[in-house]
Amino acid sequence: MARINANYDKLTAGYLFPEIARRAAEFTDANPGVQIMRLGIGDTTEPLTAIVSGGLHAAVDRLSNSDTYSGYGEGEGNESLRQALADRYAERGVQLNASEIFISDGAKSDSANIQSLFSNDAVICVQDPAYPVYVDTNVIVGRTADAVDGQYEGLVYLPCTEANGFVPEPPSERVDLIYLCNPNNPTGAVATKAQLQAFVSYARENKAVIIFDAAYSAYITDPDLPRSIYELDGAAECVIELNSFSKDNGFTGLRLGWTIVPKALVTEDAAAGKVNTMWRRRQNTFFNGPANIVQEGALAALSPEGRRQSAEMVAYYKVNAKTIRDCLQSIGLTVFGGVNAPFLWMKTPDGMDSWAFFDKLLTETHVVGTPGSGFGPSGEGYFRLSAFGHEPDIARAVQSIRENLKL
Ligand code: PLP
């Protein structure tokens, strides 16, 4: 007799985006002809760069010819792509071997699957607010009890608040796995070297492992901020870093990311090399490697011209972020992030709760954003706006906020 995994019943998240869609639909039904403007999405909007498009087309042609056709590739991903990534890290002084890099179908899958490397009784620590995948996957595998007031019993939460600049201190208690997202979704905060070094020191002292999600690292342009946590001393012993082609090359639909499991990584019961071997085994058992066509697109993205075109795409979204930030500040709102990140984290006016502000913004300006409370209790009283969008749409939304939001 089959029985289901009852942990799924504990999940509270997953309610955020359907609820946004429900409220937006209710508004359009009640106000026919009114056009809603979306500043809430985390999905990219600009087309693939010309060079990526060329790489994809060439790969399709190769697969369409019996002389050049290829089938399954390496489970860890194409070696030349892994080497191209290693070369890019080397430019920032980070020495990685291609065998420490694993290409996947995206940072979401990896951030969900990586927890399977660790013991069932591992104590999990997350930032609050957080990208929901880190929490939900640990709930599903049974590392928590039920949620009470939006927090799961058994998880350790690090509140990200205005007081700490949305970058928390390492935990004061002993934990085993720490998820850090930097630049942060949803707050747009970016940690300094010293702040990240404190986490690395904590992890080394406690034989903990940091899962470092750097999916938005391309948005860091401040030269003093680290783009990879491996720029810090000792990080290779205690950090698994994830990244993606989604946000700087528009691969959200194509699907491609990578995870670095350094051979130097150790845990209380695993010597150097063991966790790297385990992840290789995991990927080869559960996954047959990412799409070969998509990997050719990524190789093109990493060429000198590809990187130039990708930087242009990032710069485009960063201009949008500045447009939104300038608008909100000009009408007296308090806003964080959006400088080295594509997300802006706005304080709701007059201490309104996040959903009340959602309704106000929608009804007065027809703009849809994301209530901060949907990312965790410390997000209450905040609102996430995203810089992903076509520039004219952003300009229209910003104009409507400036003219119609009643403060
Ligand atoms: N990590 C963070 C923090 C994200 O916000 C997202 C997407 O929104 C992802 C990972 C997903 O990346 P990918 O498209 O590579 O799966």
Side-chain angles (χ1 to χ4, degrees):
M1 198 161 56
R3 298 181 60 201
I4 56 162
N5 175 356
N7 293 318
Y8 277 83
D9 292 336
K10 294 179 190 163
L11 293 173
T12 55
Y15 142 90
L16 175 63
F17 289 100
E19 178 61 13
I20 291 173
R22 191 191 67 73
R23 293 193 190 205
E26 195 176 85
F27 179 80
T28 32
D29 286 349
N31 300 276
V34 171
Q35 261 227 313
I36 281 185
M37 294 166 274
R38 293 183 192 276
L39 290 185
I41 51 163
D43 198 358
T44 48
T45 55
E46 298 314 294
L48 298 173
T49 61
I51 193 147
V52 165
S53 180
L56 296 170
H57 280 285
V60 171
D61 290 342
R62 261 196 298 283
L63 290 186
S64 308
N65 181 325
S66 60
D67 294 334
T68 49
Y69 172 82
S70 64
Y72 292 126
E74 290 171 78
E76 301 91 315
N78 173 335
E79 164 128 40
S80 47
L81 179 56
R82 289 185 283 119
Q83 188 56 53
L85 284 167
D87 293 346
R88 203 178 68 169
Y89 281 92
E91 290 169 15
R92 298 190 68 85
V94 173
Q95 300 306 325
L96 292 171
N97 190 285
S99 61
E100 296 174 297
I101 302 178
F102 298 82
I103 315 292
S104 71
D105 59 350
K108 182 169 193 173
S109 324
D110 287 353
S111 67
N113 295 329
I114 202 77
Q115 49 72 31
S116 74
L117 294 176
F118 300 95
S119 67
N120 288 344
D121 61 359
V123 177
I124 308 296
C125 174
V126 293
Q127 290 166 286
D128 169 29
Y131 178 55
V133 176
Y134 318 141
V135 171
D136 288 2
T137 50
N138 281 289
V139 172
I140 287 170
V141 300
R143 289 201 181 95
T144 73
D146 286 326
V148 177
D149 295 334
Q151 295 202 330
Y152 288 95
E153 288 188 11
L155 290 190
V156 174
Y157 290 86
L158 301 178
C160 301
T161 63
E162 189 174 352
N164 62 24
F166 305 98
V167 180
E169 302 270 325
S172 50
E173 62 208 284
R174 200 170 165 165
V175 301
D176 302 315
L177 263 192
I178 305 172
Y179 289 80
L180 291 180
C181 177
N182 188 74
N184 193 267
N185 176 12
T187 68
V190 185
T192 62
K193 267 193 178 139
Q195 287 169 323
L196 288 183
Q197 192 70 64
F199 274 94
V200 169
S201 301
Y202 172 94
R204 291 174 78 192
E205 276 158 27
N206 292 282
K207 287 259 165 56
V209 171
I210 297 169
I211 311 297
F212 190 76
D213 186 341
Y216 299 96
S217 62
Y219 288 79
I220 300 177
T221 42
D222 182 337
D224 293 332
L225 294 171
R227 289 203 194 182
S228 163
I229 196 166
Y230 300 123
E231 292 173 39
L232 301 174
D233 291 340
E237 285 170 34
C238 60
V239 187
I240 293 174
E241 182 169 299
L242 325 174
N243 211 318
S244 172
F245 287 93
S246 284
K247 312 297 174 164
D248 56 346
N249 283 287
F251 277 43
T252 46
L254 281 172
R255 312 301 307 135
L256 209 69
W258 69 95
T259 282
I260 297 165
V261 185
K263 294 204 167 141
L265 189 99
V266 287
T267 69
E268 191 182 323
D269 53 355
K274 170 84 176 168
V275 181
N276 174 281
T277 306
M278 286 169 66
W279 187 245
R280 177 164 294 107
R281 182 77 165 89
R282 193 269 165 213
Q283 290 302 77
N284 278 290
T285 301
F286 285 73
F287 183 58
N288 245 340
N292 43 16
I293 294 170
V294 182
Q295 293 187 86
E296 288 295 323
L299 258 178
L302 292 177
S303 68
E305 179 54 20
R307 288 173 63 181
R308 197 191 62 72
Q309 294 182 10
S310 160
E312 274 180 8
M313 188 184 282
V314 170
Y316 178 95
Y317 291 127
K318 284 185 67 134
V319 170
N320 286 346
K322 184 171 180 332
T323 304
I324 301 169
R325 203 180 144 92
D326 288 351
C327 161
L328 299 177
Q329 284 178 337
S330 75
I331 56 173
L333 291 167
T334 306
V335 58
F336 305 93
V339 178
N340 289 287
F343 294 115
L344 297 106
W345 193 237
M346 200 202 93
K347 206 169 165 172
T348 58
D350 306 322
M352 283 180 93
D353 79 52
S354 302
W355 278 110
F357 184 73
F358 175 92
D359 291 334
K360 177 180 168 68
L361 191 70
L362 176 59
T363 49
E364 292 177 4
T365 73
H366 310 155
V367 171
V368 170
T370 311
S373 55
F375 298 97
S378 296
E380 184 55 276
Y382 288 89
F383 204 72
R384 190 190 79 172
L385 295 165
S386 149
F388 295 118
H390 301 310
E391 185 274 329
D393 296 341
I394 301 279
R396 266 191 327 119
V398 156
Q399 187 185 359
S400 178
I401 292 175
R402 196 175 270 126
E403 289 173 3
N404 302 317
L405 187 64
K406 298 188 185 75
L407 292 170

